[in-house]
Amino acid sequence: MFGDHKYLPIFIIMTLLVLAGPGGAAPWPGGLGLASGAGPGQSGAGSPAAGEPESLPARTAAGLGLSDPLLQSLLGSKVSDRDVALDELSRDSGDGAAMIMRALLDGTLMADREAGGLYVDNGPAGYLVVRAPASSSFSSSSSASDGTAEAGAAPDPSRLRRVGVNNRQRERLVSGLNNRTLLSPDTEARRRAAAALVGAAGVDAAMVGRLLESETDGKVAGHYRRVLALETIGNRDADPGEAAEALGYLERNPTPEGREDMRRWAADGDPAARAAAERALSRLDAGLEHAALFETVYFGLSLGSVLVLIGIGLAVTFGVMGVINMAHGEMVMLGAYSVWGFQMLLPGRPGLALILAVPGAFLAAGSLGALLEYSVVRHLYSRPLETLLATYGISLIIRQAVRILVSPNNRSVETPAFMSGLVHLTDRVAVTVGRLYIIGFCLAVFFLLNLLMRKTRLGLEVRAVTQNRAMARALGVNSARVDRLTFALGSGVAGLAGVALSQLANVGPNLGQDHIVDSFMVVVFGGVGNLWGTFLGGFVIGLANKLLEPVHGAMLAKILIMTGVILLIQRRPGGLFPRRGRAAGW
């Protein structure tokens, strides 16, 4: 295979990438030692190879500290038996009770009702004995005296039945496990658990009150106070004075979970409680409106950042060469497919694939742009209609080639872990990390492109050709070379836009065409050939789209924006930042 040594470095690099995956094990509640992320029936880091016995001793109920009545109720076949067991587990603060609750929630608690045995199915690692059967059904021949069974001991799987729970009981289990976290020494864990209590059903107000007395963290205590206030106003028989006090607290610390109870007190409560409820509702509604507006603006900025990335590529090519490149959207699409391609080459490493796709997309789209300029566009300068038709035909060819070579269907791209999740600015306002990265990526590309135009020889030549092509050629500038490099640069930036767009939408042959019209509007609106005009125009149009969509719908919003751009061009044909003589442009 490696007779030709040119493939050997590639093989070594790919092997290292495959072998260098993240590892590390984390303990499972109750001490089962599953690897982090491994569920029941899955082996984690450190699992034995196939056919190799796992030396995990099986512990009995004596080692878990569980009472026999609790175990008997778990063996029962009725739903009410499980309710009794959950009552007992909720009162037990030991690790054994936590392990049983987790096993019930995960569906790994198994019962041999005939023999009276209880087990936790640990997948390839075997069974953990919770309650030994009355008549032994073990495959091993002996038991240890310290309350553990011999390694490899297991019941007859055909006799086992899963101890099931219904949805109501699952909610109790989730709540119970969450309540245990409230006692954790980890402050962040307590904050998450306390936040989950706000608005939850069946909260033990007395327990929350006791926790509040001993809590030292301000954020956790604030969540507890919200819980107690919500419990107070949710009680129809609550004292009006206490309800008014609770509503006053919710006015100062609004939370949407108690909205219906606030309305009830505002409709038929005591005069003092009614006034407090009306103030709390007014404050809450104002806060929700502000949060919704912030979210809309944030989404508009992320859309605008993608339009800026697509638009500055168009601004560069059209400003220097006067070419309307209808294949520009396909460069965006190829950039998005670069992310998908790298993720196929590096399965399970979406972060590395995305990072490698940034230069890969720029080089792929830029090379295709240079080839397109050399083979077609350079023969059609000063003939804008022919250029438009030729590039439109090329766009059709590229799209059809992708449909044939890859697939006509959309491809999903996995979001890396570092781009997942939310950043909570307040209790009601959170922003997605992925869109923050996209906005930052847009600003970085725009800054670097401005630096290129201001501080490099190529940028000087591009500005010279833009302002006066004939004079630049008379001074020795190779305008044909500048045109080719400029077209490649604009196409490469479009490829970068595709990388960003792959994190917001599915990757498909028509991805670029969905945004090309908005991008042309960005260039015309901001001023042809002006990077700062394109930057401002992209964010203005992105924001306008997101602000108008909730009111008028997506289609009518686009029509209104296009009408506004047309009216602006009628008054200012050069856009927001028109060219002014020889000093125009950059």
Side-chain angles (χ1 to χ4, degrees):
M1 173 180 177
F2 298 109
D4 187 349
H5 294 289
K6 66 181 181 180
Y7 295 110
L8 186 57
I10 300 176
F11 173 77
I12 294 173
I13 292 172
M14 296 301 293
T15 302
L16 290 175
L17 288 173
V18 170
L19 295 178
W28 194 59
L32 293 186
L34 284 176
S36 178
Q42 294 175 313
S43 61
S47 298
E52 196 174 301
E54 166 67 77
S55 58
L56 178 67
R59 295 182 297 171
T60 65
L64 298 177
L66 301 175
S67 66
D68 192 69
L70 166 62
L71 301 177
Q72 289 287 356
S73 61
L74 288 171
L75 284 168
S77 58
K78 298 179 181 178
V79 174
S80 58
D81 293 330
R82 232 83 68 235
D83 286 329
V84 172
L86 292 181
D87 291 338
E88 291 287 334
L89 289 170
S90 64
R91 289 190 289 266
D92 190 336
S93 60
D95 291 340
M99 186 203 71
I100 296 299
M101 294 172 74
R102 174 61 62 185
L104 281 168
L105 195 59
D106 293 341
T108 57
L109 186 64
M110 313 298 288
D112 181 353
R113 291 192 172 95
E114 294 182 8
L118 275 174
Y119 314 89
V120 174
D121 184 0
N122 198 14
Y127 289 91
L128 177 70
V129 181
V130 177
R131 184 181 193 272
S135 57
S136 177
S137 61
F138 285 97
S139 59
S140 63
S141 57
S142 64
S143 298
S145 60
D146 61 352
T148 62
E150 207 175 62
D156 181 2
S158 64
R159 298 166 61 102
L160 299 182
R161 296 293 181 270
R162 178 175 288 106
V163 180
V165 291
N166 57 29
N167 290 336
R168 175 180 56 80
Q169 292 167 340
R170 289 182 66 85
E171 291 178 0
R172 288 190 63 185
L173 287 168
V174 171
S175 176
L177 289 170
N178 187 63
N179 289 344
R180 291 171 182 272
T181 311
L182 295 173
L183 301 173
S184 170
D186 184 353
T187 301
E188 287 300 324
R190 293 204 313 279
R191 287 177 179 176
R192 291 192 296 269
L197 282 180
V198 179
V203 176
D204 186 346
M207 178 198 71
V208 174
R210 291 192 298 271
L211 290 171
L212 176 60
E213 292 176 358
S214 60
E215 183 55 56
T216 58
D217 182 73
K219 289 187 177 179
V220 178
H223 290 313
Y224 289 157
R225 292 189 180 95
R226 283 191 182 89
V227 171
L228 294 175
L230 290 172
E231 287 294 310
T232 300
I233 68 172
N235 182 6
R236 293 180 177 273
D237 300 324
D239 179 73
E242 294 179 357
E245 184 179 351
L247 288 165
Y249 179 81
L250 292 175
E251 178 189 354
R252 298 187 299 272
N253 303 273
T255 179
E257 285 78 10
R259 190 169 188 168
E260 292 304 317
D261 291 322
M262 292 180 194
R263 286 177 174 170
R264 178 172 57 81
W265 282 100
D268 54 6
D270 176 82
R274 184 185 304 118
E278 290 173 352
R279 291 194 302 270
L281 274 173
S282 177
R283 179 78 178 272
L284 174 61
D285 290 342
L288 292 176
E289 288 177 4
H290 294 158
L293 178 61
F294 181 87
E295 183 182 72
T296 301
V297 170
Y298 179 64
F299 278 27
L301 290 176
S302 64
L303 173 61
S305 64
V306 174
L307 295 180
V308 167
L309 285 174
I310 303 175
I312 55 179
L314 283 172
V316 169
T317 55
F318 191 74
V320 174
M321 306 161 63
V323 171
I324 302 175
N325 180 16
M326 294 300 294
H328 195 76
E330 278 54 52
M331 306 301 172
V332 176
M333 178 259 292
L334 290 178
Y337 269 104
S338 297
V339 181
W340 174 79
F342 274 101
Q343 288 194 357
M344 293 298 101
L345 291 174
L346 301 169
R349 290 169 176 80
L352 177 61
L354 183 64
I355 292 171
L356 294 178
V358 172
F362 182 83
L363 292 174
S367 300
L368 182 60
L371 178 63
L372 177 60
E373 193 279 337
Y374 181 77
S375 59
V376 177
V377 175
R378 71 188 181 101
H379 302 293
L380 301 174
Y381 289 143
S382 302
R383 297 158 65 184
L385 181 59
E386 287 87 341
T387 304
L388 188 149
L389 293 174
T391 54
Y392 179 69
I394 292 171
S395 74
L396 295 177
I397 293 172
I398 295 174
R399 268 184 281 164
Q400 192 60 33
V402 169
R403 290 190 179 98
I404 294 172
L405 297 176
V406 182
S407 172
N409 300 321
N410 289 342
R411 300 293 187 181
S412 60
V413 172
E414 185 178 353
T415 301
F418 64 84
M419 291 183 66
S420 303
L422 298 171
V423 175
H424 290 272
L425 304 180
T426 68
D427 291 336
R428 297 184 303 277
V429 177
V431 296
T432 53
V433 176
R435 291 179 184 269
L436 275 179
Y437 271 98
I438 290 172
I439 295 172
F441 181 65
C442 164
L443 296 177
V445 171
F446 182 79
F447 172 78
L448 291 174
L449 191 58
N450 259 303
L451 204 62
L452 175 70
M453 291 299 173
R454 293 287 184 181
K455 301 296 183 181
T456 65
R457 173 77 180 184
L458 175 61
L460 179 63
E461 292 178 347
V462 167
R463 286 184 284 134
V465 172
T466 301
Q467 293 177 19
N468 194 321
R469 178 179 291 267
M471 183 60 71
R473 294 179 65 179
L475 293 174
V477 175
N478 186 344
S479 62
R481 171 180 167 274
V482 172
D483 288 340
R484 189 163 304 123
L485 290 177
T486 301
F487 204 90
L489 177 64
S491 300
V493 174
L496 296 180
V499 173
L501 199 54
S502 70
Q503 301 303 306
L504 298 177
N506 287 329
V507 177
N510 296 321
L511 178 66
Q513 290 299 313
D514 294 339
H515 295 83
I516 195 65
V517 174
D518 286 342
S519 302
F520 273 113
M521 283 198 298
V522 166
V523 174
V524 175
F525 178 74
V528 175
N530 190 300
L531 285 185
W532 283 104
T534 302
F535 181 81
L536 180 61
F539 282 111
V540 168
I541 289 181
L543 283 170
N545 258 306
K546 291 302 179 181
L547 290 171
L548 291 174
E549 278 180 6
V551 180
H552 301 289
M555 184 59 65
L556 185 55
K558 288 186 179 296
I559 293 173
L560 292 173
I561 291 171
M562 184 175 291
T563 303
V565 172
I566 292 172
L567 293 175
L568 174 71
I569 299 305
Q570 291 293 317
R571 298 293 301 271
R572 296 175 65 90
L576 290 179
F577 299 96
R579 297 185 179 187
R580 300 185 185 278
R582 294 177 59 188
W586 314 101

